[in-house]
Amino acid sequence: MWVAVATVGGKLWAEAATSMRALSNKSSSPLYLTVQVPRRPSGVAAECEEQIDTRRAKFCEEYEGYGDWCGCPGMALSPDLAPPMDVKEQIPIVIVTSRHQFKVLRQIRQLWSQAGGGVTPILLSVDGDQREALDFAQVVGLPAVFHNNPAPPGSNIRINEHIKFSIFQAFKHFASVDKVIVLEDDLILAPDFIRYFHQTAPLLDADDTIFCINAYNYNSFTPFAVDTSRLYREDILPAYGWMVNRRWAQEILPLWPKSSHAVDWDWYLRGMIQSSSGKDIVTPEVPRTRHDGNGGVHVTGWEQGGYFDRRALNTDPQAVVNISYLTSEAYERFLQQELNTATLLQITTHPCVKQYIPQTKVGSFLIYYHGQTEKDDMLSYFTLVGCLGGYEKGRMEHHHLMHTIGYYGNAVYLVACPGSAYCTVKAEDYPRLVYTASLKDVEQTHRHVDNIMQHVHVPDIRRRVPPFEPVEEFTMENYIVINMTFTYREITS
């Protein structure tokens, strides 16, 4: 057993260790360490603390993890620092949180440093009776509501209950608004996060077949996320920053999964309400949020590193989105025009071997692949998207079983046949026009994805072994390094 106390980039204040004989069945003796660490680096005057707001200084005395906000003289944080932005309506943000107030601080800092932050009300919705969250809300001057959540911690039921509570409380607290933005605390925000939602808000007024507006797009790895102005209508989950209106809350909250249902709220809404009603979610080609969790109920550390960290995030604070074609009828006209003029590609050579689509912007392309449902039983979609470098697991992100991806600026339409309403291929033309992956094709795609993941996951694995002599145990040099890299199949199994 070993313990050390050190300042990052600075001094080692103390360390201690206990050891035991190799191959002994006895536990090591208890380890105790007492050390006093100065509150501030040497040479920093105590008067510096007086420059911090009294309430903030008291908060920083009691809680840790808030970085330069608790520094000296302390990070400036105020909605008055946000650049101005003309808005047609007030759209509040409800931040859904529990124990991670330091992440909420980061989001508030991002919101109050971008256009519109000064005119955007914020409500903190806290899961549980959190004293730190209450103190934090008082220091930053934001209203907060606290949820006496009856569901067990760490369960999907608890998350379900808290999301419902947050939406209800947001519309209750801001009684005069028509829309709210739901924001989870583990997200990094694009510099046009607020601007994006104000640009897309008219869609919720104009078309009740739109379920909500997302700030996120799962299929947004670098080759697929190029055009910041482009939006899609898709049958996908509300996720990672999304906007709904009051009518939505009145219709959907009474249908929310019951506390006895051990389901995820977003999958439940998609399966039971959204898909059955034919409603779509508007998603951006280039996301306006990025997930920043390294493990949790739904996202493992492997998935964070292998997938979430690879997705794009818009960096242009002045990005303008095009909503002119997003209402239901206009979107269908737009798609028909696109499909009628797109270049039809016939996949005759494995798509991981042949480059079918240029890596420069040329136009629109159409590919028919075998698929009856979004399960992709033949793994034809997996093969196509895996070879293009996209999210090979993103089968659910489609519009009537047609996936639209922006490959290096080109619009690529992957149409499932016979499952999609956009499949117009005659039965006799299937062998020639519809791509069906063979078992050999799938195996080759697995190897291709393996190569991608091996460049993403480069673990440093060390395994402890019995020491040859006591000093080796004391210096903790009794280990071997395992030189291996996990494959895609090992990570996902």
Side-chain angles (χ1 to χ4, degrees), residues 125-144:
S125 178
V126 185
D127 185 3
D129 184 14
Q130 300 283 341
R131 176 59 186 273
E132 181 177 348
L134 175 61
D135 293 344
F136 174 78
Q138 292 175 344
V139 173
V140 297
L142 291 176

Side-chain angles (χ1 to χ4, degrees), residues 14-81:
E15 64 176 333
T18 63
S19 61
M20 54 179 286
R21 286 185 175 274
L23 306 179
S24 170
N25 292 327
K26 296 181 179 180
S27 300
S28 115
S29 60
L31 175 60
Y32 300 98
L33 176 66
T34 301
V35 59
Q36 289 191 345
V37 179
R39 188 169 293 280
R40 66 185 67 83
S42 60
V44 178
E47 292 78 10
C48 184
E49 292 186 356
E50 298 178 0
Q51 302 179 37
I52 307 178
D53 176 80
T54 304
R55 291 183 304 172
R56 189 195 300 188
K58 183 179 179 181
F59 179 88
C60 294
E61 281 284 324
E62 187 167 353
Y63 305 107
E64 294 185 350
Y66 291 86
D68 55 358
W69 188 60
C70 285
C72 192
M75 175 189 72
L77 188 70
S78 170
D80 298 334
L81 300 175

Side-chain angles (χ1 to χ4, degrees), residues 425-444:
V425 180
K426 297 180 181 179
E428 58 268 25
D429 293 329
Y430 265 50
R432 181 171 58 91
L433 300 180
V434 179
Y435 172 68
T436 302
S438 65
L439 292 177
K440 184 178 180 180
D441 287 349
V442 173
E443 180 59 31
Q444 186 167 350

Side-chain angles (χ1 to χ4, degrees), residues 226-244:
V226 176
D227 189 349
T228 58
S229 69
R230 185 161 188 182
L231 307 172
Y232 305 128
R233 288 182 64 124
E234 295 181 315
D235 184 4
I236 186 59
L237 307 173
Y240 306 130
W242 43 288
M243 178 174 62
V244 296

Side-chain angles (χ1 to χ4, degrees), residues 138-158:
Q138 292 175 344
V139 173
V140 297
L142 291 176
V145 290
F146 295 83
H147 183 197
N148 184 18
N149 197 332
S155 66
N156 53 0
I157 298 175
R158 189 177 183 94

Side-chain angles (χ1 to χ4, degrees), residues 152-211:
S155 66
N156 53 0
I157 298 175
R158 189 177 183 94
I159 297 174
N160 297 348
E161 291 294 301
H162 190 51
I163 294 291
K164 179 182 179 181
F165 171 87
S166 302
I167 298 170
F168 177 84
Q169 292 294 329
F171 281 111
K172 179 181 178 181
H173 186 86
F174 303 108
S176 62
V177 306
D178 180 60
K179 303 175 184 70
V180 298
I181 299 167
V182 183
L183 181 61
E184 299 92 332
D185 64 7
D186 56 355
L187 300 175
I188 298 173
L189 312 181
D192 70 330
F193 178 82
I194 296 174
R195 178 183 173 90
Y196 166 81
F197 281 113
H198 278 272
Q199 290 184 79
T200 55
L203 291 172
L204 292 179
D205 299 326
D207 189 352
D208 61 4
T209 67
I210 294 177
F211 194 70

